[in-house]
Amino acid sequence: MSQEPDLKREAILTAAFAQFSQYGFRRTSMEDIAKATGISRASLYTRFENKEEIFRSACFDINEQSLREVEQVLKGVGGSSTIAARIEDALRVHYGRFLEIAHSPHGSEIYDENNRLCGALVLDSATRLHELLTKAIRAGDRAGEINLKASGLSAGAVAELIQQGAAGLKQGAPDVATFDKRLSGFMRIFFSGLSQK
Amino acid sequence: MSQEPDLKREAILTAAFAQFSQYGFRRTSMEDIAKATGISRASLYTRFENKEEIFRSACFDINEQSLREVEQVLKGVGGSSTIAARIEDALRVHYGRFLEIAHSPHGSEIYDENNRLCGALVLDSATRLHELLTKAIRAGDRAGEINLKASGLSAGAVAELIQQGAAGLKQGAPDVATFDKRLSGFMRIFFSGLSQK
DNA sequence: ATTTGACAAAATACCCATAAATTGTCAATT
DNA sequence: AATTGACAATTTATGGGTATTTTGTCAAAT
């Protein structure tokens, strides 16, 4: 039996994040969020302390959701058979989502608030992604799909390079389609290098 | 015979940029720049329109200087024999310099002003770096050091991946030494992939 | 020919006061 | 029990007035 999800809570966070994306954090009032959710402003306070907590919670959920998907994809649930393809799919899922947010009307304000209010959360998310990637790379090494030894680097160091390299591609991409295409080329070459005997 | 370099001009820009790095753009006055250069404030106006032009000129010079060095390194003047090593050195020169600036006391304000006042210059610089990298990669392909055909990508596309990947590493690096180390691992793996038959 | 001190103009920083918007709470309502 | 209208408190925006800093431009000095 699964925990019953708090639907009202999710409705609030979804509506709130839509407002934040469209009008920015500062220009979105609790009244706006309440109206967008279809409840009264006072009701918001029964579930959340204040606007900052709503923002934090929304970011938290988005991160959790993304990391859960990444974990599933890395497990091979998506159907990709090679470790390279699974990691590529995972990064596509993770960074593609954030690329969309960054390109929303007030993407840069969202980004700033995210760092201000969720600094620890951001770091934690990056750390967990790094752990997942490291695990996947180690698995790929054991399976003989890549050759860590020959690369002269640890699984963690390789994960770092992939993670930061992909982040760079995200930064430079004007849209998701371009990012996807570049990520694909990047992964092909990088994993070709990693599979050298 | 070489153009005589305008020493006073360079002295001003050097002093100005030092002030900008230390105190930020807004908090640095023309008086501060004049004092740091050792001349009167009025003299600044014989060479520069205003503070913004000083900033733009300083950024321009830094970019030019960096691109000139990159060009030299890619030509092999630095002594590196493989194309991979030359590109690695070039990126180290280029991004290492900007990493130091980004880590200066008011790095983020410098970054913002740079985008505000030198938007076109930044784009142009990235484009020129891309062109230099593309040329180097094509040369490496012709020399048989890498195998573009097998990668399925154009020289320009590969240059894009390297450039943005390195930018990602720069973003994620806490200091120059870490960046250098990661860049080294990155390039080893990436070029190993690029040299596949 | 450069460089500079000095001046007027412009921008910035404060301070106060008031108006408007937003927040957080709670008793009353459903 | 959950929701809300309405109230007091807080925060944010606005304007006006003054002091201070900074700017851009000279004519004068080196």
Side-chain angles (χ1 to χ4, degrees):
Chain A
M1 60 213 84
S2 67
Q3 306 273 43
E4 67 177 74
D6 187 339
L7 293 176
K8 184 69 61 81
R9 180 195 145 95
E10 289 177 22
I12 292 171
L13 294 182
T14 303
F17 204 79
Q19 296 285 312
F20 290 147
S21 299
Q22 193 160 8
Y23 305 111
F25 177 78
R26 278 161 28 89
R27 288 170 191 274
T28 299
S29 69
M30 291 295 264
E31 180 66 35
D32 294 334
I33 297 172
K35 207 174 289 180
T37 312
I39 61 177
S40 77
R41 190 174 60 82
S43 296
L44 293 176
Y45 289 93
T46 64
R47 289 157 193 280
F48 300 98
E49 187 85 4
N50 51 35
K51 193 165 74 168
E52 296 196 352
E53 203 206 309
I54 292 182
F55 186 85
R56 261 195 300 272
S57 300
C59 292
F60 179 80
D61 277 18
I62 290 172
N63 269 287
E64 286 301 314
Q65 168 70 10
S66 184
L67 286 172
R68 259 198 303 275
E69 278 186 51
V70 164
E71 199 168 8
Q72 291 302 308
V73 170
L74 288 179
K75 270 186 189 159
V77 175
S80 304
S81 52
T82 68
I83 193 67
R86 287 200 288 271
I87 289 181
E88 181 180 329
D89 289 346
L91 293 174
R92 204 193 304 285
V93 163
H94 190 75
Y95 286 114
R97 166 177 273 122
F98 293 115
L99 182 56
E100 278 170 13
I101 294 172
H103 281 35
S104 70
H106 291 260
S108 62
E109 196 208 337
I110 300 282
Y111 180 83
D112 289 345
E113 290 300 335
N114 195 38
N115 281 331
R116 187 173 72 83
L117 302 173
C118 315
L121 193 152
V122 171
L123 285 184
D124 181 62
S125 175
T127 302
R128 285 166 62 194
L129 176 60
H130 182 253
E131 284 166 1
L132 292 175
L133 290 175
T134 301
K135 234 172 58 180
I137 287 165
R138 246 197 290 274
D141 188 45
R142 275 196 304 273
E145 289 189 50
I146 63 177
N147 186 350
L148 266 185
K149 194 88 173 285
S151 81
L153 296 174
S154 68
V158 169
E160 220 159 53
L161 298 181
I162 293 176
Q163 192 172 355
Q164 293 182 11
L169 296 187
K170 186 195 79 175
Q171 282 291 110
D175 54 60
V176 177
T178 304
F179 170 70
D180 285 357
K181 196 163 150 192
R182 290 183 185 162
L183 181 65
S184 161
F186 177 81
M187 294 296 287
R188 187 165 62 250
I189 295 176
F190 201 83
F191 271 83
S192 164
L194 272 180
S195 63
Q196 285 312 293
K197 302 295 171 193
Chain B
M1 57 213 82
S2 67
Q3 306 273 44
E4 65 177 76
D6 187 338
L7 293 177
K8 184 69 61 82
R9 179 195 145 96
E10 288 177 23
I12 292 172
L13 294 182
T14 302
F17 203 79
Q19 296 286 311
F20 290 148
S21 299
Q22 192 160 9
Y23 304 111
F25 177 78
R26 279 163 25 91
R27 289 171 191 274
T28 298
S29 69
M30 292 294 266
E31 179 66 35
D32 293 335
I33 297 172
K35 207 174 289 178
T37 313
I39 60 176
S40 77
R41 191 174 60 81
S43 297
L44 293 177
Y45 289 93
T46 63
R47 288 157 194 279
F48 300 98
E49 187 83 5
N50 51 36
K51 194 165 73 168
E52 296 195 353
E53 204 206 308
I54 291 183
F55 186 86
R56 260 195 300 272
S57 300
C59 292
F60 179 81
D61 277 17
I62 289 171
N63 268 286
E64 287 299 315
Q65 168 69 12
S66 184
L67 285 172
R68 259 197 303 274
E69 276 187 52
V70 164
E71 199 168 7
Q72 291 303 307
V73 170
L74 288 179
K75 271 186 189 162
V77 175
S80 304
S81 53
T82 67
I83 193 68
R86 286 201 288 271
I87 289 181
E88 183 181 328
D89 289 346
L91 294 174
R92 203 192 307 283
V93 163
H94 190 75
Y95 287 114
R97 167 178 271 122
F98 294 114
L99 182 56
E100 277 169 14
I101 295 173
H103 282 33
S104 69
H106 290 261
S108 62
E109 197 208 336
I110 301 281
Y111 180 82
D112 288 346
E113 290 301 336
N114 194 36
N115 280 332
R116 186 171 74 81
L117 304 174
C118 317
L121 193 152
V122 171
L123 285 184
D124 182 62
S125 174
T127 302
R128 285 166 61 195
L129 175 61
H130 182 253
E131 286 165 0
L132 292 175
L133 290 175
T134 301
K135 235 172 57 181
I137 287 164
R138 245 197 291 273
D141 187 45
R142 275 196 303 272
E145 288 190 51
I146 62 177
N147 186 349
L148 267 186
K149 194 88 174 283
S151 80
L153 296 175
S154 67
V158 169
E160 221 159 50
L161 297 181
I162 292 176
Q163 192 171 354
Q164 294 183 10
L169 296 186
K170 186 196 78 175
Q171 283 291 110
D175 55 59
V176 176
T178 305
F179 170 71
D180 284 356
K181 196 162 149 191
R182 290 183 186 164
L183 182 65
S184 160
F186 178 82
M187 295 295 287
R188 187 164 63 250
I189 294 176
F190 201 82
F191 271 84
S192 163
L194 272 179
S195 64
Q196 285 312 293
K197 302 295 173 191

